[in-house]
Amino acid sequence: MRNLVQVVHPHTYKYILEDGQIKFEIGPSNEANKPRDEKVASFLKEAKKSGSEILVHLEYMDNFMGRAMQRLAFKADPIYEDVVETIEDCFFTLHSGLPLPRNRPEKIDKKSWDFLRRNIISHSGLKRRIPEAENVFFMGGLLEACLGNFTNYYSMHYSTNGQKLFLIEDLAASLDENEAKKIKGILGEGGINFVNYNTAMSLLK
C-alpha cells in the first residue's frame, strides 16, 4: 500500500475558543473553520478514492454522551456528508492521543485495566491495524496536544525504514499558536515533514 492516513481526534475540528474557553460546536462549520473543514472532507474523500488506508482515532471519554457527540458533530455538518462513514470506522485512544501502554501502570488496578483494554486500543493492537505504507499522513488535532503526541509516538514506535511521514499543517486543529510552534520543532527534529493540503493531495496520486 502506498498511503496511510491517520486522523487523530477529529472532533477537535469542532473546537472553538471563546473568551479563553474551549467550546464544542455541533452543526455546520462556522465561517472561520469552514475553508479548513472543506479541505479535510475533500482530502479524506480523495484518500478513500485512491485506495489509501484511513485510520480514525477517537478520544475515549468516560461518559457515553461524550463518545456519541464526537460522531454526531460530523453527522450534523453537511460538509462531512460524504465522509461520515469513514469517520465512524474508528477506534478509541487516550485523551493524550496515545494507545494504551504495553504494560499496566502500577497506579491502575487490574479491574480498571481490563476495562480500559476492552475499550481503548493498545500499543500492540494499533500495530496490527497499521499496514505497510510508503507515505503516512497525520491530521486532526490538537496539534499542540494529541495530534502532536501521536505523530511523535508513531515516529518513535511504528515508523519503518524508508517510510515518509507528513503532518498536514492546514488540516491540523490548533488553539495555542505558541505551543503548536514548540511541538512542530520537536516533530521536525524527529524527521516529520510538514506539508500543506495541496502538496498532500498531490502525494495521494
Side-chain angles (χ1 to χ4, degrees):
M1 178 171 292
R2 179 171 172 76
N3 299 309
L4 167 63
V5 179
Q6 303 267 9
V7 189
V8 180
H9 296 181
H11 68 284
T12 56
Y13 288 133
K14 293 299 182 179
Y15 282 177
I16 55 175
L17 198 60
E18 287 187 359
D19 301 322
Q21 299 294 316
I22 297 175
K23 295 186 177 181
F24 186 57
E25 184 180 57
I26 297 290
S29 300
N30 61 40
E31 289 305 310
N33 291 333
K34 189 175 180 180
R36 181 204 62 200
D37 289 355
E38 288 176 339
K39 289 180 180 178
V40 169
S42 173
F43 183 80
L44 290 176
K45 188 175 180 179
E46 183 61 31
K48 188 173 183 179
K49 181 181 176 182
S50 70
S52 303
E53 180 76 17
I54 302 173
L55 297 181
V56 179
H57 313 214
L58 296 190
E59 177 186 345
Y60 185 77
M61 299 178 180
D62 290 335
N63 61 85
F64 171 79
M65 185 58 70
R67 298 193 298 275
M69 291 290 277
Q70 293 183 64
R71 294 182 171 93
L72 179 61
F74 295 97
K75 288 183 177 180
D77 188 340
I79 287 176
Y80 290 98
E81 182 178 2
D82 293 333
V83 296
V84 165
E85 289 184 4
T86 300
I87 293 171
E88 289 198 327
D89 182 18
C90 60
F91 50 80
F92 289 103
T93 55
L94 296 166
H95 174 71
S96 63
L98 305 183
L100 286 176
R102 294 181 179 90
N103 301 311
R104 175 172 61 89
E106 290 185 5
K107 63 181 180 180
I108 299 180
D109 61 68
K110 187 177 184 304
K111 184 177 180 181
S112 299
W113 180 249
D114 289 342
F115 174 81
L116 292 174
R117 284 180 62 85
R118 288 194 298 272
N119 291 280
I120 301 173
I121 200 163
S122 65
H123 173 91
S124 58
L126 180 52
K127 186 174 182 178
R128 289 192 293 271
R129 292 286 299 266
I130 295 173
E132 291 185 11
E134 294 177 31
N135 302 319
V136 184
F137 298 93
F138 300 89
M139 55 190 288
L142 293 169
L143 174 55
E144 61 271 17
C146 24
L147 174 59
N149 289 339
F150 179 74
T151 303
N152 189 49
Y153 188 87
Y154 184 99
S155 175
M156 294 173 62
H157 297 284
Y158 299 126
S159 182
T160 57
N161 290 335
Q163 196 172 65
K164 296 178 181 178
L165 309 182
F166 301 98
L167 192 147
I168 312 173
E169 286 193 79
D170 44 354
L171 303 189
S174 175
L175 297 176
D176 190 322
E177 186 176 345
N178 290 330
E179 289 302 313
K181 187 176 181 179
K182 290 179 185 178
I183 192 67
K184 282 174 63 178
I186 294 171
L187 296 177
E189 291 176 1
I192 308 300
N193 301 287
F194 295 92
V195 296
N196 61 23
Y197 164 81
N198 290 329
T199 300
M201 286 287 277
S202 69
L203 288 169
L204 285 178
K205 299 173 181 178

